[in-house]
Amino acid sequence: MRKKNFFKLCAVSSLALASVIGGMTSQLSPLMTTVYAAELNATSNTPNGNANLGGGTASITINGNTGQSMVGKKFEVYKLFNAENAKDGESINYTWNTRYKSALQTVVGAKLNKIPTSVTEYDVIDYIQTLNTHKVEGANANQELEGRYSDFRYFVEELRDEIVNQNLGGSLVTVTQTNAQGGITIGGLDYGYYIVDEVNVPNNQGHSAASLCMVNTANPTATVNIKSDYPQVTKKIDEDDNNVGWNDIADYEIGQTVPYKYNTSVPNMNGYHNYYFAFHDKMNEALTFNPDSVQITISGLNKTYTLQSNEFLVQQNVNGNTFQVTIADLKAIVDREFPEGLDNDNQNQYGQAVQLNYTATLNDKAASQTGRPGFENTVRLEFSNDPDSDGTGDTGFTPWDTVVCFTYKIDALKINNHNKTLEGAKFRLYSDADCKNEVYLKESTDGYIVINRDSLGGDDHTGGSVPGNAVEMVSNADGVFKIFGLDQGTYWLKETDSPDGYRELLDPIEITITPTFTTDRDGYIAGDGATDSTLKTLTATAHMKEFLNGAFSEGTSDLETDVETGTVNITVVNQVGTKLPITGSSATIIMLGAGVVLSSIAIAKNRKGKDSAE
């Protein structure tokens, strides 16, 4: 009778090598209790979070991370060893599963410098035991997990690769549903020692990640809390009106500086030797990226570190993106700046907050896109997602996250009170009631475009230099003048010169533009700017003071608007003037005329007589 292999090992019901999503890994633990199991070669989905791979009574439960769905993930299950427990639970006997015998012999043979076919079952099990750095006695004792950089981790990865190279196969589990806790249970297993390898998920299915292998015991059950984690990124725009601040929706003037930021966190990069981290940004052509504005900070509990310019790379117009910001090795920076979390296994405590800030400028192209659909700006994060042996691996992507901003226009008509259009009326626009802070405008083919003072070295509506191309607005032959690229808020439109024969308005017209946005300002979905789900309504009012014919009047009127085009319509009226009053009759006027003529004749005769006498 063949002698059985008995070992005093701890019964471990926790993860040995962890699945990885975007670099988050659990620790590694060598050989754990397993029992004789049937060959696995099945395919299963997970209705209600349960996969059934056979007729056994053992199971492995994999718990996902909070807020990170496991749906779409695929796991390859390999049973390496059969085993049986001693009656008292103090000892375990392992025998290899002949399906994977050749792979085990090949990998262990290389470690022992032996011909693979000469490697025995004892050789394999004894070698794996040498990788256990946290040995404890007792079948039910808790065992510490091996580190992400341990020899055991690399051994299991090599073994997995050899199994794949030899096309030995296993059972494939595709996560189609999860349980109420967000995890899955792989059931129908006989007692055994298993590798569970997470298979890459295609990028078009969302977050993608390869894995470190999970090694666990099903004896009869095992629970794995996968530490696999993928980074997530959110993008925000700063709305400078009404104390809204950072959210997904804003509006701005043309020429104004638009602040953006990304927020993410340092993923668990344990298991990696270096970690690639890149932000891909696409923005509407009406936005101009300011490359010198990029700033990246990493914040821990007691420290905030600002990356130096040589620690990241800004590239424009690459890979179909407006720009890309790349951190070639995030791990090196974090481990250097936050070493207090490093342990003896060279593992760190990650999770520090990462923030990238930059600005763009709303440019003149926005003049043709006022109102809906707005100007979108979207980002996604590319990250290392395969820490296997080489420590670098492939990359995955987060979904795109999008924000939007809007701008508006005024369509003004100059007429008299008999509805006749007036050409040649001149106007200027101001941001204050005293008309001291002019909103500069430049002429375009269709009207006038705002030049925000941010573009002139100032701050929105104050300071800065006077642009050389700033002009005064003039109503055209149709009495029309248009102003493109306005923010929400209040402006003062002042008539500086009226058409000939008309008196200009004494006081400026106070125009208030008010958009109504969705109350869910942090839930913007790409494309929603074209619908009424984001910019719901646009209203405007005009407040006007007037003194005419000795009477003073003042009032506020609602203006006609078009939310689709972001248009505010206003009509500016000049009253037709009347002649000043006169006295006398028409006969008097005639006599006055005749008298003037007669006087002229008398003067002429007198001058002639005087000349003769002389």
Side-chain angles (χ1 to χ4, degrees):
M1 177 181 291
R2 186 164 63 91
K3 183 178 179 180
K4 295 182 179 181
N5 302 315
F6 286 93
F7 297 90
K8 284 191 174 181
L9 295 177
C10 58
V12 181
S13 61
S14 59
L15 177 62
L17 282 166
S19 166
V20 176
I21 304 180
M24 297 295 277
T25 66
S26 177
Q27 293 178 318
L28 317 175
S29 175
L31 205 57
M32 293 169 282
T33 59
T34 45
V35 179
Y36 286 102
E39 295 277 347
L40 288 177
N41 189 17
T43 300
S44 177
N45 294 329
T46 58
N48 300 315
N50 297 304
N52 192 332
L53 298 184
T57 58
S59 65
I60 298 174
T61 296
I62 304 175
N63 292 328
N65 292 317
T66 302
Q68 297 182 358
S69 175
M70 291 178 62
V71 173
K73 295 185 180 300
K74 297 180 181 180
F75 298 96
E76 194 86 18
V77 182
Y78 310 104
K79 182 194 63 156
L80 298 181
F81 292 96
N82 306 310
E84 65 179 6
N85 292 344
K87 185 176 181 180
D88 56 10
E90 290 186 355
S91 184
I92 306 165
N93 177 60
Y94 292 91
T95 58
W96 55 25
N97 182 348
T98 56
R99 183 186 188 96
Y100 303 111
K101 174 182 175 181
S102 62
L104 288 163
Q105 288 178 313
T106 299
V107 175
V108 174
K111 304 295 184 183
L112 301 178
N113 198 25
K114 297 179 68 172
I115 297 172
T117 54
S118 69
V119 175
T120 67
E121 192 173 67
Y122 283 9
D123 290 333
V124 171
I125 296 174
D126 285 348
Y127 176 75
I128 295 175
Q129 283 289 10
T130 67
L131 304 177
N132 190 345
T133 61
H134 302 291
K135 294 180 181 179
V136 293
E137 292 188 353
N140 298 318
N142 290 325
Q143 183 177 13
E144 291 184 45
L145 306 177
E146 297 294 313
R148 284 85 159 183
Y149 302 99
S150 67
D151 291 338
F152 179 64
R153 166 205 162 174
Y154 296 122
F155 166 76
V156 173
E157 290 172 0
E158 289 180 54
L159 178 58
R160 184 274 318 278
D161 292 345
E162 186 61 30
I163 289 172
V164 173
N165 290 338
Q166 293 188 24
N167 197 28
L168 300 179
S171 294
L172 182 66
V173 175
T174 300
V175 181
T176 52
Q177 292 180 320
T178 61
N179 57 33
Q181 292 73 41
I184 64 168
T185 297
I186 301 173
L189 303 175
D190 292 315
Y191 292 178
Y193 182 63
Y194 294 90
I195 287 179
V196 181
D197 184 29
E198 185 183 351
V199 182
N200 262 345
V201 180
N203 287 332
N204 60 11
Q205 295 186 29
H207 299 288
S208 172
S211 72
L212 293 171
C213 301
M214 292 181 288
V215 180
N216 211 318
T217 234
N219 184 33
T221 62
T223 299
V224 174
N225 296 313
I226 65 171
K227 298 296 181 68
S228 60
D229 191 13
Y230 48 77
Q232 301 180 63
V233 62
T234 58
K235 185 180 183 72
K236 297 298 175 185
I237 185 172
D238 187 17
E239 172 57 271
D240 59 348
D241 298 309
N242 302 320
N243 297 315
V244 172
W246 294 101
N247 75 122
D248 288 356
I249 305 163
D251 46 21
Y252 281 90
E253 283 185 4
I254 289 178
Q256 192 171 2
T257 300
V258 184
Y260 293 96
K261 72 176 179 179
Y262 313 140
N263 287 109
T264 183
S265 59
V266 176
N268 188 327
M269 300 179 292
N270 290 315
Y272 292 85
H273 294 297
N274 56 63
Y275 198 91
Y276 181 85
F277 214 61
F279 300 92
H280 300 260
D281 195 291
K282 294 181 180 180
M283 60 176 58
N284 187 285
E285 63 179 3
L287 292 161
T288 301
F289 171 56
N290 301 321
D292 294 335
S293 66
V294 175
Q295 184 182 65
I296 304 173
T297 59
I298 302 174
S299 301
L301 291 177
N302 302 309
K303 176 183 179 180
T304 294
Y305 175 70
T306 300
L307 270 65
Q308 303 300 306
S309 60
N310 62 353
E311 293 179 312
F312 62 91
L313 176 65
V314 179
Q315 297 171 287
Q316 298 186 67
N317 303 314
V318 292
N319 302 321
N321 303 307
T322 304
F323 69 93
Q324 178 176 311
V325 179
T326 302
I327 304 173
D329 190 358
L330 180 65
K331 178 175 169 59
I333 296 171
V334 176
D335 286 352
R336 183 193 71 217
E337 297 298 328
F338 300 89
E340 61 275 7
L342 287 167
D343 62 18
N344 293 333
D345 291 323
N346 199 35
Q347 299 170 141
N348 209 337
Q349 294 295 320
Y350 297 117
Q352 295 86 356
V354 179
Q355 182 168 303
L356 186 152
N357 289 77
Y358 74 92
T359 64
T361 301
L362 192 61
N363 62 48
D364 291 356
K365 292 181 180 179
S368 62
Q369 303 175 47
T370 55
R372 296 172 182 159
F375 315 106
E376 291 187 338
N377 190 326
T378 187
V379 67
R380 69 173 177 175
L381 181 62
E382 182 180 6
F383 54 91
S384 292
N385 74 335
D386 186 356
D388 285 359
S389 299
D390 61 2
T392 55
D394 299 324
T395 59
F397 295 89
T398 66
W400 294 97
D401 191 45
T402 306
V403 298
V404 66
C405 70
F406 298 88
T407 195
Y408 316 105
K409 68 178 180 179
I410 288 176
D411 194 341
L413 177 65
K414 180 66 172 179
I415 62 173
N416 66 19
N417 57 319
H418 298 306
N419 290 323
K420 179 181 179 180
T421 58
L422 300 178
E423 181 181 5
K426 296 180 180 180
F427 295 88
R428 291 185 185 272
L429 191 67
Y430 296 88
S431 62
D432 63 311
D434 294 330
C435 295
K436 293 181 178 179
N437 296 319
E438 183 175 357
V439 178
Y440 298 120
L441 299 155
K442 60 184 173 183
E443 194 169 7
S444 71
T445 56
D446 297 320
Y448 302 89
I449 297 176
V450 172
I451 310 173
N452 186 272
R453 294 195 185 207
D454 280 352
S455 303
L456 306 169
D459 182 13
D460 195 5
H461 289 139
T462 60
S465 59
V466 179
N469 57 345
V471 297
E472 195 171 39
M473 293 178 287
V474 182
S475 59
N476 64 19
D478 296 320
V480 172
F481 61 98
K482 299 180 180 181
I483 309 171
F484 298 95
L486 297 168
D487 197 357
Q488 66 170 289
T490 301
Y491 295 91
W492 284 262
L493 180 66
K494 183 173 179 59
E495 186 175 34
T496 56
D497 192 12
S498 60
D500 291 345
Y502 292 88
R503 184 173 65 182
E504 59 263 16
L505 302 176
L506 183 62
D507 294 293
I509 303 171
E510 181 181 326
I511 301 172
T512 301
I513 302 172
T514 307
T516 300
F517 294 107
T518 174
T519 56
D520 183 13
R521 297 191 68 126
D522 289 306
Y524 182 77
I525 299 173
D528 276 359
T531 72
D532 62 1
S533 60
T534 300
L535 176 57
K536 292 184 170 296
T537 63
L538 181 67
T539 59
T541 60
H543 184 81
M544 187 173 179
K545 299 176 183 178
E546 188 175 24
F547 183 81
L548 186 67
N549 296 328
F552 178 82
S553 63
E554 181 177 2
T556 299
S557 302
D558 292 329
L559 300 178
E560 180 184 278
T561 61
D562 184 344
V563 64
E564 194 68 31
T565 61
T567 303
V568 173
N569 296 299
I570 184 170
T571 300
V572 182
V573 180
N574 279 130
Q575 295 288 333
V576 172
T578 58
K579 289 183 177 181
L580 293 175
I582 59 175
T583 60
S585 66
S586 57
T588 304
I589 295 174
I590 293 173
M591 289 303 294
L592 176 60
V596 170
V597 175
L598 290 173
S599 297
S600 298
I601 295 172
I603 293 170
K605 284 183 175 181
N606 184 49
R607 179 170 292 280
K608 184 177 180 181
K610 184 177 180 181
D611 291 342
S612 299
E614 292 174 352

